[in-house]
């Protein structure tokens, strides 16, 4: 079975046009034929639905070992705000939403801590988050002074001029810091996931989720290829960065315990007829 990571669809508003129930038939053959026609029509409508629907990435969901420390880290070093917090004792977890603006307009992070769990195996499928900042050098200096981990010092990307760095948050999630000039509409820039079949993944993200393929980048010298997909311009919205490592069709411990899913919104709600 192919490795995969989850994306959750949060459906809102409206209706699809193919939900009319079948009328009763007197003959089983006619009933079966009608079912086939309706199902075929529904399938065609479903193929068009992601392209016609207006969608947006809402938030990434992942588990952290120390919620308080992570909130403080994101506030101090990344300049994020705590948007909301909730404690669910009956389910033995609490979570906080972090970001740079209102949830109905900005991408945000849903951090979850399970009671009595202070460590998670992050697995190999999730890669990193990326954050766009006006001064990556300053951010790295702040993190170092606070005793945080900088795994790649700030400096120009290999073969280019853009200044980047890599740091790790208190749970161990990797963050790529990317320099961008202000204004920065959406600082949470990317969610990087590893895939085992890039072409098949692109097809799924574009046809099932309705994402646009923004660009691809092949790096044969280092043995990998990237694809960037999303619902808007890369400089203005959060996008997926899918990474395929040459010859890697399977990862051990692919899902891990930390990263859970990304939620997206839809303006269309699908109501399926019992006949379907």
């Amino acid at each position: 079975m192919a490795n995969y990571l989850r994306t959750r669809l949060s459906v809102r508003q409206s209706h699809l046009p193919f939900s009319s129930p079948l009328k009763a038939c007197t003959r089983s053959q006619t009933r079966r034929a009608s079912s086939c026609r309706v199902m075929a029509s529904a399938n065609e409508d479903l193929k068009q639905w992601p392209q016609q629907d207006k969608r947006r990435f809402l938030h990434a969901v992942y588990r952290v070992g120390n919620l308080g420390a992570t909130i403080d880290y994101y506030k101090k070093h990344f300049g994020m705000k705590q948007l909301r917090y909730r404690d669910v004792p009956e389910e033995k977890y609490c979570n906080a939403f972090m970001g740079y603006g209102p949830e109905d307009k900005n991408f945000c992070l849903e951090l979850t801590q399970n009671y009595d769990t202070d460590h998670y195996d992050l697995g190999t499928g999730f890669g990193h988050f990326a954050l766009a900042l006006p001064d990556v050098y300053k951010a790295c200096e702040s993190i170092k002074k606070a005793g945080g981990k900088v795994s790649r010092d700030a400096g120009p990307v290999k073969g280019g001029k853009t200044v980047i760095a890599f740091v790790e948050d208190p749970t161990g999630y990797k963050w790529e810091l990317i320099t961008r000039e202000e204004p920065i509409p959406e600082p949470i820039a990317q969610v990087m996931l590893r895939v085992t079949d890039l072409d098949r993944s692109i097809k799924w993200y574009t046809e099932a989720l309705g994402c646009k393929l923004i660009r691809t980048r092949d790096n044969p010298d280092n043995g990998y290829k990237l694809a960037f997909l999303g619902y808007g311009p890369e400089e203005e919205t959060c996008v997926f960065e899918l990474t395929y490592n040459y010859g890697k069709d399977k990862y051990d411990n692919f899902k891990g315990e930390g990263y859970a899913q990304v939620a997206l919104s839809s303006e269309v709600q699908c109501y399926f007829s019992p006949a379907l």
Side-chain angles (χ1 to χ4, degrees), residues 56-62 80 83 98-110 129-130 175 185-191 236-240 259 261-264:
R56 183 177 71 83
F57 290 132
L58 298 175
H59 53 260
V61 184
Y62 55 104
M80 293 187 193
L83 306 175
M98 305 291 294
Y100 292 91
E103 292 179 55
D104 61 344
K105 295 180 180 179
N106 292 82
F107 188 79
C108 67
L109 308 171
E110 181 182 344
F129 297 107
W175 285 81
E186 179 50 75
I188 304 174
Q190 299 167 2
V191 178
E236 299 177 9
T237 62
C238 184
V239 302
F240 274 113
Y259 170 84
Q261 62 210 21
V262 167
L264 62 91

Side-chain angles (χ1 to χ4, degrees), residues 77-78 133 135-144 167 177:
H77 302 302
F78 294 162
L133 298 173
D135 192 337
V136 170
Y137 289 104
K138 183 178 179 180
C140 284
E141 184 179 338
S142 169
I143 293 169
K144 283 183 176 180
V167 302
L177 308 183

